Amino acid sequence: MSLRVFILAGEPSGDRLGGALMAGLRQLRPDVSFEGVGGALMAEQGLVSRFDMSELSVMGLAEVLPKYRQLKRRIRETAEAVLDMKPDVMITIDSPDFALRVAALVKEASSIRTVHYVAPSVWAWRPKRAEKMAKVIDHVLALLPFEPPYMQAAGMECDFVGHPVVGEPQATAEEIAAFRQAYQLDDTPTVLALPGSRRSEVTRLAPVFGAALKQFQDSHPEYRIVVPAAGPVADLVRSHLAEWSDTAVVIDPNTLDGEVAKAHKRAAFAAADLALAASGTVSLELAAARTPMVIAYKFQWLTWHIMRRMALIDTVTLVNLVSDTRVVPECLGPECTPEAIAKALIKVKAAPTAQSSAMATTMERLGEGGEDPGLRAARAVLDRLSAQTSAAS
């Protein structure tokens, strides 16, 4: 019998995971067929999305409320589509506010097997989420090696399948040379500035990052600032550039061929001497490129105080967490000031190899050098599905 899969992603990061997982399933089960919701990368693997994935890419109360009725209708419609299809397995990818509500409706009306790709960060805050999730999810695919015990303790099957960052290509010497030539950098030392991929992040962080980098350049004028901007915020980054430096370079993917933009971003990461980045998975991209970093993030006052009360960890940087070190400096909340960030950058510049071991350990623990995470995830889905089928027969 052919394998039928309903697969659902709600954000670009989920589309990347979904595309790789679908490719893995196709490799292991050429007879697989898909229905669901996804983006361009999942479409490349044969998915015809039931609606535009961008409808689900909303964050924050102010953004969600105006679209609440529409989102609720999409949840119901998606669950009905799953029940009509009667797939062998439904796979939801991240976007828990949408995905887990769909899973709840599916489980309420059927015994369809449910898999969720990306474990909730219950090790960081709100540990009860795993117990709630276990009511509607059978199997979790985890990106981080320490996550399975948390999911298993709540009653779900869980497999660590590796983080997609380890499967992403790194810049070649030729790409680095082309990048330096394109932006007239020669052998100039560079510092990356990565103020986030959402407009709200850039709006909050750009002024602070700019002031910090000015202070850094006061003592290290030989450094050029390079900003690999995300497409949706490139215009906003440019509007702040004059405040940062008159020699700063922006890599704007909106003005470049797609493959050239990717190559320039890879090369910028590999060529940089250090980086200042917003908190998030970008720290893993920097670790993959072995670029020493400072992490900074400015929260709204209420958000910061709620997080401090609820947090179960003393660091937000994945390199620190996965390597079980605290070598990457963090300037968070009230510490996210130009003075504190500039001081941290100067310290990292003075000892650029201090983070090397932690970055190498992080990549190794995330699966670097092993099987592609998408294929590993596909194998985990099929192995658990086969075990369930055998147990039922």
Side-chain angles (χ1 to χ4, degrees), residues 77 122 189 201 223 229 238 251 260 321 358 366:
E77 290 174 354
V122 297
E201 288 177 325
Y223 273 72
R238 285 188 181 280
I251 302 173
V260 172
L321 286 164
L366 292 182

Side-chain angles (χ1 to χ4, degrees), residues 56-133:
L56 308 182
S57 297
V58 292
M59 290 188 61
L61 192 62
E63 292 176 281
V64 170
L65 279 178
K67 299 183 178 181
Y68 176 74
R69 284 189 176 182
Q70 179 185 346
L71 288 170
K72 194 171 181 180
R73 186 179 75 251
R74 288 302 194 193
I75 289 169
R76 186 183 66 253
E77 290 174 354
T78 304
E80 289 172 354
V82 178
L83 295 170
D84 287 343
M85 181 190 183
K86 298 183 178 64
D88 297 290
V89 60
M90 179 182 78
I91 303 172
T92 53
I93 307 173
D94 213 358
S95 303
D97 289 338
F98 186 87
L100 298 184
R101 283 175 169 81
V102 172
L105 292 177
V106 169
K107 278 297 189 185
E108 187 178 286
S110 75
S111 59
I112 292 170
R113 182 170 177 78
T114 53
V115 177
H116 191 69
Y117 197 174
V118 183
S121 51
V122 297
W123 39 267
W125 69 309
R126 290 173 58 200
K128 296 293 184 183
R129 281 179 294 169
E131 295 174 14
K132 292 180 180 178
M133 185 170 158

Side-chain angles (χ1 to χ4, degrees), residues 30-64:
D31 61 340
V32 68
S33 62
F34 299 102
E35 289 188 28
V37 179
L41 296 176
M42 293 166 71
E44 288 178 8
Q45 297 300 322
L47 181 72
V48 178
S49 186
R50 299 187 68 85
F51 54 85
D52 195 317
M53 185 186 73
S54 64
E55 290 187 30
L56 308 182
S57 297
V58 292
M59 290 188 61
L61 192 62
E63 292 176 281
V64 170

Side-chain angles (χ1 to χ4, degrees), residues 351-392:
T353 61
Q355 298 177 24
S356 298
S357 178
M359 290 190 288
T361 297
T362 297
M363 290 299 104
E364 179 185 356
R365 290 179 178 174
L366 292 182
E368 188 176 65
E371 189 172 56
D372 178 80
L375 182 59
R376 192 168 169 176
R379 199 182 306 282
V381 169
L382 295 176
D383 286 350
R384 296 280 189 178
L385 182 60
S386 176
Q388 182 194 45
T389 303
S390 298

Side-chain angles (χ1 to χ4, degrees), residues 151-173:
M151 302 297 104
Q152 291 160 353
M156 292 173 284
E157 298 169 350
C158 186
D159 293 296
F160 165 63
V161 297
H163 197 286
V165 72
V166 303
E168 294 173 359
Q170 295 301 307
T172 63

Side-chain angles (χ1 to χ4, degrees), residues 169-183 185-186 188-194 223-230 249-253 256 259-276 282 285-292:
Q170 295 301 307
T172 63
E174 292 75 17
E175 286 176 336
I176 293 172
F179 159 73
R180 287 190 173 280
Q181 183 178 13
Y183 296 97
L185 291 169
D186 301 319
T188 306
T190 59
V191 53
L192 287 188
L194 298 152
Y223 273 72
R224 292 277 298 279
I225 299 167
V226 176
V227 191
V249 167
V250 176
I251 302 173
D252 183 350
L256 299 168
E259 292 305 313
V260 172
K262 291 176 186 177
H264 282 188
K265 180 184 174 182
R266 286 196 297 267
F269 274 59
D273 296 273
L274 72 161
L276 168 61
V282 70
E285 295 180 66
L286 291 167
R290 304 304 194 263
T291 303

